[in-house]
Amino acid sequence: MNNVEHADLRVAIRPGAEYGDSVNQLPIYPSEFEEAQRSFPIVFRREEGGIQAYALLGLDRDENLFLEDGRWTSDYVPAVQRRGPFSIGIDTSRSDGESQGDPLVYIDLADARVGAVDGLPVFLEHGGNAPLLDHIASVLRVLHEGVTSAPAIYAEFEDAGLLQPVDIQISLSEEDGYELPDLLTIDQSALADLSGESLEALHRSGLLRAATMAASSLGNIQYLIDRKNRKRLLA
């Protein structure tokens, strides 16, 4: 993006199923744990590219229990959805062979939120960044830094024995229940048993706090169940 070609561009802040918000889990990164753990259970999955953290949003496929009437009702929205039609890329033309180059903001002009009448300006009248673009830049920074740093962080969790496989069983009634298989969680017992060099290393790097927040977030599973039961009663 630039303030010449896109000087008059406006973008609407408009969540919804058509924009990918109606899902039962979204990827999140360690810098989001502090805010995310107040609303969502944080779990991990072992995938082809490595371990990835997720915020659990629902129990059924394509179900986001925090999305109502086209808006999020949670106190926090994962960065991957707050970015809207924007993304970040690397300008390889400025790479010197040792560094990757400068990160740049890109926009999907085909997205229905781009150019909407009720949209917010991306640039100020005289070319500076409008508040929307500054906000988006900070969100994209979370994603860029998360993709870069998360693999090493999760490797430290695993080396310390904190990530343990678990199948989460959820019962809504005698007849209805859910099983969430093939998950990893931060094990509370393993966290409590940390000592010596492992404990000191995690504390010194600040990762002990992140692990503790991910572990405590599992208390939100009951919050998820309560939301699901309310939805069932209103159906």
Side-chain angles (χ1 to χ4, degrees):
M1 289 189 62
N2 62 76
N3 59 10
V4 176
E5 293 180 63
H6 308 105
D8 300 320
L9 195 64
R10 304 179 77 89
V11 176
I13 305 302
R14 189 186 300 158
E18 64 270 40
Y19 304 119
D21 292 279
S22 188
V23 291
N24 64 3
Q25 57 186 278
L26 282 171
I28 59 171
Y29 296 96
S31 62
E32 299 182 83
F33 285 6
E34 182 168 3
E35 292 181 274
Q37 58 91 25
R38 299 188 183 113
S39 298
F40 318 117
I42 298 173
V43 298
F44 303 81
R45 290 188 183 277
R46 196 181 303 279
E47 301 176 344
E48 185 176 340
I51 295 172
Q52 174 63 53
Y54 287 91
L56 284 182
L57 311 175
L59 300 177
D60 284 309
R61 186 178 179 85
D62 300 328
E63 174 185 64
N64 183 348
L65 293 169
F66 300 89
L67 187 67
E68 297 178 10
D69 300 322
R71 66 183 183 87
W72 283 77
T73 59
S74 55
D75 291 333
Y76 183 73
V77 178
V80 70
Q81 287 307 109
R82 280 189 290 130
R83 68 185 175 90
F86 298 90
S87 61
I88 193 168
I90 301 298
D91 182 5
T92 56
S93 68
R94 300 184 186 181
S95 174
D96 59 9
E98 295 182 3
S99 60
Q100 288 186 321
D102 298 327
L104 298 176
V105 176
Y106 291 82
I107 187 167
D108 179 5
L109 295 176
D111 191 292
R113 292 168 290 187
V114 178
V117 175
D118 60 340
L120 299 174
V122 175
F123 293 103
L124 299 175
E125 183 179 355
H126 299 295
N129 290 357
L132 173 62
L133 187 54
D134 285 338
H135 168 70
I136 291 299
S138 68
V139 172
L140 293 176
R141 194 174 301 116
V142 167
L143 295 173
H144 180 62
E145 293 175 355
V147 169
T148 302
S149 64
I153 291 173
Y154 302 151
E156 288 201 46
F157 287 168
E158 192 158 39
D159 289 345
L162 298 181
L163 285 173
Q164 299 294 331
V166 64
D167 289 344
I168 297 178
Q169 307 280 341
I170 294 176
S171 296
L172 300 180
S173 67
E174 291 184 2
E175 298 82 17
D176 297 327
Y178 293 86
E179 181 178 4
L180 308 179
D182 303 322
L183 299 177
L184 300 168
T185 61
I186 297 291
D187 184 78
Q188 290 275 16
S189 297
L191 195 59
D193 289 342
L194 280 176
S195 62
E197 292 183 4
S198 293
L199 177 60
E200 183 180 352
L202 286 172
H203 177 69
R204 190 169 55 248
S205 65
L207 299 185
L208 182 62
R209 177 174 168 79
T212 301
M213 288 187 291
S216 65
S217 76
L218 297 179
N220 289 321
I221 289 177
Q222 184 58 53
Y223 188 31
L224 211 61
I225 293 171
D226 293 342
R227 280 180 170 258
K228 181 64 173 180
N229 282 329
R230 283 199 299 270
K231 181 180 178 180
R232 281 153 51 93
L233 289 173
L234 293 173

